[in-house]
Amino acid sequence: MQIPYIVDERPDTGLINSKLGIWIFLASEIMLFGGLFSAYVFLRMAAPEGDFAYWGTKLSIPMATINTLVLISSSVTVVLSWASLKMKDFEKYKMYMGVTLLCAGIFLVIKYFEYTGKFHHGIYPSSSTFMGIYFTLTGLHGLHIIGGIIVMGYMWLPIGAKLWDTDPELFTNRVETAGLYWHFVDLVWIFLFPILYLL
């Protein structure tokens, strides 16, 4: 028995199950990060004057800027991978999804060097309230990046991509759902970048 509404839209919502599910999941993620962003604001307001600004100077704006450009580029390529499937061009899908995964990997490598640079200089989450927040927010975001890599990597590898041969529309829907998650991850970073590195 086939599960209903995995290809056809539900009459009550106008969405397929996976898209409805990802929007509900993303709503919970917004509450998670919203709570953490709110905690950051309240802790910053309560901190001694100049404390957050001082610790903010310990962050690398050039590395974060590169990571921002990398993630924005990955948002473009994940859309192009989905659009390629809509145009029945599987090879272009493979190329664009591969670039998306490469961008995600570059982001994590840069973040690794950023973290190890802090540790090398004796800066840890326990060093200050700001650093505790910094490592919590960026670490949680990094875990979301890894989750995206796992899902998109599965659909890029032959084991996951073989669904294209049997049910291309279902496969395209899955790529679109993963893309929505990836846009959310990128959007979180677009908020993290200014509040941690620039303000």
Side-chain angles (χ1 to χ4, degrees), residues 1 9 38 49 71 77 92 110 135 144:
M1 178 181 169
E9 296 174 347
S38 299
E49 189 173 346
L71 275 190
T77 55
K92 276 194 176 177
I110 292 173
F135 281 107
H144 282 72

Side-chain angles (χ1 to χ4, degrees), residues 11-198:
D12 51 352
T13 63
L15 300 171
I16 57 172
N17 283 347
S18 59
K19 197 179 284 189
L20 177 61
I22 197 68
W23 282 119
I24 293 170
F25 172 72
L26 293 180
S28 71
E29 290 286 284
I30 289 168
M31 288 187 277
L32 169 64
F33 279 99
L36 291 170
F37 282 129
S38 299
Y40 169 84
V41 170
F42 286 119
L43 288 168
R44 182 165 186 150
M45 288 170 58
E49 189 173 346
D51 182 63
F52 272 47
Y54 167 77
W55 285 102
T57 62
K58 305 296 183 184
L59 304 183
S60 173
I61 293 175
M63 291 178 104
T65 302
I66 293 169
N67 260 350
T68 302
L69 295 173
V70 165
L71 275 190
I72 290 171
S73 299
S74 74
S75 258
V76 173
T77 55
V78 81
V79 168
L80 291 173
S81 70
W82 168 76
S84 298
L85 292 177
K86 294 296 279 185
M87 294 184 288
K88 312 296 183 191
D89 192 337
F90 186 74
E91 291 307 311
K92 276 194 176 177
Y93 155 76
K94 291 283 283 186
M95 179 186 70
Y96 286 124
M97 186 57 81
V99 173
T100 303
L101 292 167
L102 177 64
C103 288
I106 290 171
F107 180 93
L108 289 178
V109 168
I110 292 173
K111 187 53 67 180
Y112 166 80
F113 283 114
E114 198 175 349
Y115 275 15
T116 53
K118 303 281 181 300
F119 299 152
H120 179 71
H121 290 96
I123 299 173
Y124 302 98
S126 58
S127 298
S128 70
T129 302
F130 176 84
M131 282 299 161
I133 294 169
Y134 164 78
F135 281 107
T136 298
L137 285 170
T138 58
L140 183 61
H141 179 261
L143 289 175
H144 282 72
I145 294 278
I146 292 169
I149 289 173
I150 291 169
V151 172
M152 293 187 298
Y154 174 78
M155 290 188 290
W156 184 71
L157 291 170
I159 188 171
K162 66 182 179 183
L163 180 60
W164 173 257
D165 297 325
T166 56
D167 197 338
E169 192 171 357
L170 178 58
F171 183 75
T172 303
N173 289 343
R174 287 182 176 179
V175 170
E176 182 183 16
T177 302
L180 290 171
Y181 169 83
W182 194 248
H183 292 318
F184 171 78
V185 171
D186 293 352
L187 187 62
V188 168
W189 179 257
I190 287 170
F191 279 96
L192 285 176
F193 176 54
I195 70 163
L196 292 176
Y197 291 86
L198 304 179

